Amino acid sequence: MSANLIVTAADGVVTVKMNRPDVLNALDGEMLRALVDTLQPFDRDPECGCIVLTGSEKAFAAGADIREMNEKSYLDAYHSDFLAGWEAFARLRTPKIAAVSGYALGGGCELAMMCDIIYAGRSAIFGQPEIRLGVIPGMGGSQRLTRLIGRAKAMDMILTGRQMDAQEAEHSGLVARLFDDAALLFETQKAARIIASYGKAATLAARETVNRAEETSLTEGLLFERRAFHALFATQDQKEGMTAFLEKRPARFVGK
Ligand code: CAA
C-alpha cells in the first residue's frame, strides 16, 4: 500500500484519504497507480458498496503535479498518453463519493468530477486554472465540467482560470450537498453506508443508467433504463425489497 494513501474499510464502505500534504495532494503517477491498485480489488468485491475519496482540510487535491509535468516534451506526453490512466479510476463501477475540503483545482477538480457524487465542506474551492500554466484541462475538465454546470460557467472558469467557492459550486450543480467542514467526512460516510446497504446489482444498474443519460439520446437512454430495470427482477434483492415493503419490515439485501 502506498504512503500517499490512508485506506480504511468498514460497513461496506472503503474510505481513501490522499496524503501528500507537502504538495497539497498534487496528483502524480505514483498517486494514480496507488489509487487504482488499491481500489480495483475493492471494486471487484461484492461486499464493497461505496468508495469515499477525500483529501486534507486544506486540499482535496491542488491539481496534477506541476513538478512532474514541467519538463515533459510533447512526445513524452503523446507516446505515454499522459493522464489517460486516470480514466481507470473513473471506470470503477462501485459508486464513488468525493468529499472535498479546501482546494480542488485542475486535476483535483477533475478527479472529484470522476466521482459519482461530490459533497463539499464550506471551505471547498473548485477551479480549472490550467490556462495560467499555459495549458488546458487534461483529465476531463472541459468535458465533465461543461456537462455538470453548463457551457456558460464552464467556459468562464476554464478561460479565466478563476476559482469557484463551495456555495457557487452547489448552486451550479457541481456539488450535491454542502456541509460544515467538521461534519463533511462523517456525513459523507453516512451517505456511503446508506448506498452500501442496498442490493449491489440495483446500485450498479442505477449508476450505469444515470451515466448513460450523458452519453445517449433520450429514446436509447429510456430503453437502456427499462432493460436494466427488467433485469433486476432476476435478483433475490428485488423480491426481498418488495416483500419487505409489503410485510412492513426493513429489507435485508444480500447482493444476489
Ligand atoms: N503540483 C505540484 N506542487 C504543488 C501543486 C501542484 N499542482 N500545488 C501546490 N503545490 C506545492 C507548492 O509548490 C508548494 O510547495 P513548496 O512548499 O515546496 O513551495 C506547496 O504545494 C504548498 O503550496 P503553496 O505554497 O502554493 O500554497 P498556497 O496556500 O500559497 O496556495 C494553491 C495554494 C492556490 C492551491 C497553490 O498551491 C496553487 O495555485 N497550486 C497550483 C494549482 C494549479 O495550477 N493546479 C492545476 C495543475 S495543472 C493540472 O491539473 C492539469 C490537468 O488538467 C490534469
Side-chain angles (χ1 to χ4, degrees), residues 22-24 26 58 62-67 69 83 103 105-108 110 128-130 133 136-139 163:
D22 297 349
V23 286
L24 305 182
K58 178 154 185 194
D65 190 319
I66 298 169
R67 196 171 298 282
M69 283 186 291
L83 299 178
Y103 295 109
L105 300 178
E110 293 165 303
Q128 298 290 161
E130 291 88 347
L133 300 170
I136 63 169
M139 275 168 58
Q163 297 179 348

Side-chain angles (χ1 to χ4, degrees), residues 100-101 120-123 177-187:
V100 176
S101 294
R122 294 186 202 283
S123 70
R177 283 195 256 170
L178 265 189
F179 298 103
D180 289 337
D181 284 284
L184 174 67
L185 192 57
F186 176 82
E187 294 292 342

Side-chain angles (χ1 to χ4, degrees), residues 126-128 149 153-162 164:
F126 297 87
Q128 298 290 161
I149 69 173
K153 271 189 184 279
M155 194 68 96
D156 174 38
M157 289 187 67
I158 289 168
L159 288 183
T160 66
R162 81 170 173 92
M164 179 183 264

Side-chain angles (χ1 to χ4, degrees), residues 107-130:
C109 185
E110 293 165 303
L111 182 60
M113 291 190 290
M114 287 179 196
C115 296
D116 301 294
I117 300 174
I118 304 177
Y119 292 152
R122 294 186 202 283
S123 70
I125 292 174
F126 297 87
Q128 298 290 161
E130 291 88 347

Side-chain angles (χ1 to χ4, degrees), residues 10-34:
D11 305 325
V13 175
V14 55
T15 301
V16 178
K17 180 176 157 66
M18 294 178 282
N19 186 40
R20 289 187 81 200
D22 297 349
V23 286
L24 305 182
N25 290 331
L27 305 170
D28 61 357
E30 199 184 318
M31 180 75 90
L32 165 63
R33 278 187 296 279

Side-chain angles (χ1 to χ4, degrees), residues 1-146:
M1 198 156 290
S2 163
N4 290 339
L5 298 180
I6 299 169
V7 182
T8 51
D11 305 325
V13 175
V14 55
T15 301
V16 178
K17 180 176 157 66
M18 294 178 282
N19 186 40
R20 289 187 81 200
D22 297 349
V23 286
L24 305 182
N25 290 331
L27 305 170
D28 61 357
E30 199 184 318
M31 180 75 90
L32 165 63
R33 278 187 296 279
L35 271 175
V36 171
D37 290 352
T38 300
L39 288 173
Q40 276 177 341
F42 282 108
D43 196 41
R44 290 190 290 268
D45 178 357
E47 297 297 316
C48 175
C50 194
I51 293 167
V52 171
L53 180 65
T54 194
S56 69
E57 268 174 40
K58 178 154 185 194
F60 177 76
D65 190 319
I66 298 169
R67 196 171 298 282
E68 184 185 68
M69 283 186 291
N70 183 33
E71 295 298 330
K72 269 190 203 300
S73 69
Y74 165 72
L75 285 180
D76 293 335
Y78 183 68
H79 286 312
S80 66
D81 205 4
F82 179 52
L83 299 178
W86 286 94
E87 286 304 308
F89 174 83
R91 278 196 302 272
L92 295 170
R93 297 170 73 209
T94 306
K96 303 181 282 300
I97 311 180
V100 176
S101 294
Y103 295 109
L105 300 178
C109 185
E110 293 165 303
L111 182 60
M113 291 190 290
M114 287 179 196
C115 296
D116 301 294
I117 300 174
I118 304 177
Y119 292 152
R122 294 186 202 283
S123 70
I125 292 174
F126 297 87
Q128 298 290 161
E130 291 88 347
I131 200 85
R132 297 159 68 148
L133 300 170
V135 289
I136 63 169
M139 275 168 58
S142 65
Q143 306 303 300
R144 290 197 172 97
L145 190 65
T146 306

